[in-house]
Amino acid sequence: MYRNLRNVHGNSMSLPSKTKTWLETTLQAKVRDLTPVAGGCINETYIVTLSHGKRLFLKYHSSAAMFDAEALGLTAINQQVPRFAPEPIAHSDKCLIMTCLTPAAPNRRYWQALGEKLAQLHAAEQPYFGFKCDNFCGETPQPNAPTDDGFAFFAEHRLMFQAKRAFDTGKLDRAVLQQVEKLASQLERWIPEQPPSLIHGDLWSGNAMNTSEGAKIFDPAAHYGWAEADLAMTTLFGEFDPVFYEAYQTTRNINAVWRTRADLYNAYHVLNHLNLFGGHYGNSLRRILRQYLG
């Protein structure tokens, strides 16, 4: 979302007039400039410059009511690790207004800070698996019913929720659905008991960035889940810098054994991408199933 702040595609105000009116009423200032930002694949994104010069970041979607949940996730992250995420300022069913980040080139200090802050985010044990509300992972609904058992939560609300959606839309056949169900029923074979932590939930390289204020994460699918699942996703589309993993593991005093389970955690995101995009993600899922089920 933020990664291409400098790569704008024009200066036209394409938002509906009533949305602009809502912005000005909510922010109690006139909108001087509304600059579209490239890079988002779900929402329209803009840098909003107000009449007094303050710049904010706006996400807009004409139909999806997802921003109340996203604002709750950003707030939860910042309560645990202050200023680790953009601050949500206001939202409606179609808009989310946040502080605007200024990108900076990634360097060793950034990767170290990102690892340390993520470790701090995961450090506090949460009261249950789930979250205060359901939310989204990308455009896919993400159920977060409070659950005491982490294995049951991951099996039912992550793996099987996605697998059933894929089956219902013809992206998975019944045989593969049954394999996912078998995998979900045996999670304790490979995953150790872990307490629930507040996790970002969709932590790939496009959702973290160095800024003028330091390391930031954004676009969360925040919930109380397994910390190792957050780490696992950082390996799904090309790993983060080694300094990140060293800093995280030192801060939390853990070793790298979580890597042996990364593909299992990432089955959730592979299923989600199968539902969103189809294509080769079906092959990726079958590879994971062979790895764990033979």
Side-chain angles (χ1 to χ4, degrees):
M1 177 182 70
Y2 286 91
R3 191 159 298 279
N4 295 316
L5 282 182
R6 295 193 178 98
N7 299 330
V8 297
H9 50 81
N11 295 300
S12 61
M13 291 189 180
S14 58
L15 288 177
S17 57
K18 64 180 181 180
T19 300
K20 184 187 172 188
T21 300
W22 176 84
L23 277 173
E24 294 182 334
T25 301
T26 300
L27 299 173
Q28 299 183 336
K30 291 291 185 181
V31 173
R32 189 175 75 195
D33 186 64
L34 191 64
T35 304
V37 176
C41 61
I42 297 174
N43 304 293
E44 296 178 33
T45 53
Y46 301 84
I47 296 174
V48 180
T49 304
L50 301 177
S51 54
H52 49 62
K54 186 172 184 178
R55 296 167 76 243
L56 299 171
F57 195 85
L58 170 68
K59 296 174 72 172
Y60 171 82
H61 198 295
S62 61
S63 59
M66 61 178 66
F67 294 127
D68 180 65
E70 183 171 343
L72 281 173
L74 291 168
T75 298
I77 289 169
N78 285 331
Q79 286 174 341
Q80 182 70 26
V81 183
R83 297 178 297 282
F84 192 24
E87 177 188 352
I89 294 170
H91 65 274
S92 68
D93 59 340
K94 295 182 179 181
C95 295
L96 174 60
I97 307 168
M98 298 172 285
T99 49
C100 189
L101 306 179
T102 302
N107 52 33
R108 182 181 179 85
R109 181 177 298 178
Y110 158 67
W111 289 113
Q112 181 172 349
L114 183 63
E116 291 171 349
K117 288 184 176 183
L118 188 69
Q120 292 166 20
L121 183 70
H122 294 164
E125 184 173 333
Q126 302 299 328
Y128 52 81
F129 292 88
F131 199 52
K132 306 168 187 177
C133 64
D134 293 343
N135 51 22
F136 294 81
C137 191
E139 284 188 291
T140 307
Q142 182 171 257
N144 290 317
T147 308
D148 291 332
D149 186 325
F151 299 104
F153 177 79
F154 195 75
E156 179 179 352
H157 299 304
R158 294 297 180 261
L159 295 180
M160 292 310 301
F161 175 80
Q162 292 279 4
K164 289 174 182 176
R165 285 174 67 90
F167 175 75
D168 289 344
T169 56
K171 295 183 178 74
L172 276 189
D173 61 31
R174 184 171 296 279
V176 178
L177 175 66
Q178 290 173 341
Q179 285 184 298
V180 175
E181 189 170 15
K182 182 177 180 181
L183 184 76
S185 70
Q186 299 180 30
L187 294 174
E188 291 169 272
R189 287 180 57 189
W190 306 286
I191 297 175
E193 286 277 358
Q194 301 167 65
S197 298
L198 175 61
I199 68 175
H200 177 281
D202 193 12
L203 192 57
W204 66 292
S205 61
N207 287 343
M209 185 174 69
N210 195 22
T211 75
S212 59
E213 298 178 352
K216 301 281 187 179
I217 57 175
F218 41 85
D219 289 358
H223 62 280
Y224 305 143
W226 286 324
E228 289 187 352
D230 244 5
L231 284 175
M233 195 184 180
T234 68
T235 71
L236 185 57
F237 301 119
E239 297 201 4
F240 287 13
D241 190 281
V243 173
F244 163 81
Y245 300 105
E246 293 167 7
Y248 182 96
Q249 289 162 192
T250 298
T251 303
R252 291 204 72 203
N253 193 27
I254 66 170
N255 60 37
V257 69
W258 60 268
R259 287 179 175 274
T260 66
R261 301 182 277 271
D263 285 346
L264 180 51
Y265 296 122
N266 284 337
Y268 169 64
H269 295 290
V270 170
L271 278 162
N272 186 37
H273 280 73
L274 176 64
N275 278 313
L276 290 171
F277 308 115
H280 69 277
Y281 291 105
N283 293 331
S284 298
L285 175 64
R286 285 186 282 273
R287 178 187 61 76
I288 293 171
L289 291 170
R290 288 194 300 271
Q291 178 181 342
Y292 287 94
L293 299 178

